[in-house]
């Protein structure tokens, strides 16, 4: 996997944290400074964290492990689905259903129901009225939307990759309960200690999310012996001290107050 360029992260606004009053004290090792009331994230730490996470991804995949990508917030949905599809791993981009991991047997029953509804010539539709058929079709569409990224997931994942550890708190709690390792993009308002491999970065920037998730998908493909795409990035040698002097605070990239 080619290394992420410092300047690509810089240009994506990956260094912009939340406003200082919303910070989590445990995030302090990843903060290089503050500017205009916003914490500035150390991008050298980000690059190091991505490389560490990518190495672990390769280790999991090389042992035929399966990865679940999770990104249900609007900024992440398309990116997560595209990159998970690209590396042939599972994903969840719609609402996280409570018990997806901790009550996986129920989820499997729901998926089995979906496959039965999707099966051509299924006896479910025999002797049904038009109204009953419409109800089954609505159920099928709902289940297909909920489970489209995990329909073929037959067992619990060996690793989950999360965009926004704060937003996906339920998924993280379930994974921790089952001792499933977690890679997550963690912003300055979040405790990085609650995930196994935190990646400090702006989790609201679509460009930042794309750079990081693409790098992890590339790691999957490399472990499988596949080819990388145009999403791959190459290494840079800028220092994190360049953050403030090279890029002014762009209000389109700074995260809005909640």
């Amino acid at each position: 996997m080619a290394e992420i360029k410092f300047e690509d992260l810089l240009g994506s606004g990956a260094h912009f944290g939340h406003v200082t009053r919303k910070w989590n004290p445990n995030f302090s090792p990843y903060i290089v400074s503050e500017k205009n009331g916003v914490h500035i994230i150390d991008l050298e730490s980000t690059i190091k964290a991505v490389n560490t996470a990518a190495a672990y991804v390769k280790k999991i995949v090389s042992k035929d492990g399966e990865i679940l990508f999770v990104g249900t917030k609007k900024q992440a949905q398309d990116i997560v689905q595209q990159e998970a599809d690209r590396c042939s791993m599972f994903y969840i981009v719609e609402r996280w259903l409570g018990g997806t991991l901790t009550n996986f047997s129920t989820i499997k029953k729901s998926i089995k129901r979906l496959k039965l509804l999707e099966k051509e010539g299924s006896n479910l539709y025999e002797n049904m009225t038009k109204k009953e058929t419409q109800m089954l079709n609505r159920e099928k569409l709902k289940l297909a939307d909920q489970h489209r990224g995990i329909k073929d997931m037959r067992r619990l994942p060996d690793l989950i990759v999360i965009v926004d550890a704060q937003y996906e708190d339920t998924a993280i709690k379930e994974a921790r309960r089952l001792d499933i390792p977690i890679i997550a993009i963690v912003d300055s308002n979040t405790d990085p200690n609650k995930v196994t491999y935190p990646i400090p970065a702006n989790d609201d920037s679509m460009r930042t999310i794309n750079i990081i998730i693409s790098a992890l998908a590339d790691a999957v493909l490399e472990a499988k012996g596949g080819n990388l795409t145009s999403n791959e990035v190459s290494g840079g040698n800028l220092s994190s001290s360049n953050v403030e002097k090279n890029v002014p605070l762009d209000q389109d990239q700074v995260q809005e107050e909640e």
Side-chain angles (χ1 to χ4, degrees), residues 209-222:
I209 294 168
N210 188 57
I211 289 170
I212 294 172
I213 298 302
S214 293
L216 297 178
D218 284 348
V220 173
L221 288 171
E222 186 172 332

Side-chain angles (χ1 to χ4, degrees), residues 10 33 37 44 51 59 64 106-110 112-113 124 139 151 155 157 161 165 177 195 201 214 228 231 243:
L10 194 66
S33 65
E44 289 184 343
N51 290 338
K59 180 180 177 181
D64 295 322
T106 299
I107 297 297
K108 285 198 292 185
K109 288 178 184 177
S110 182
K112 185 177 180 181
R113 170 74 172 175
L124 275 179
E139 181 186 0
K151 193 164 67 170
R155 59 181 177 84
V161 174
R177 184 174 172 186
V195 303
S214 293
L228 304 184
N231 285 322
V243 168

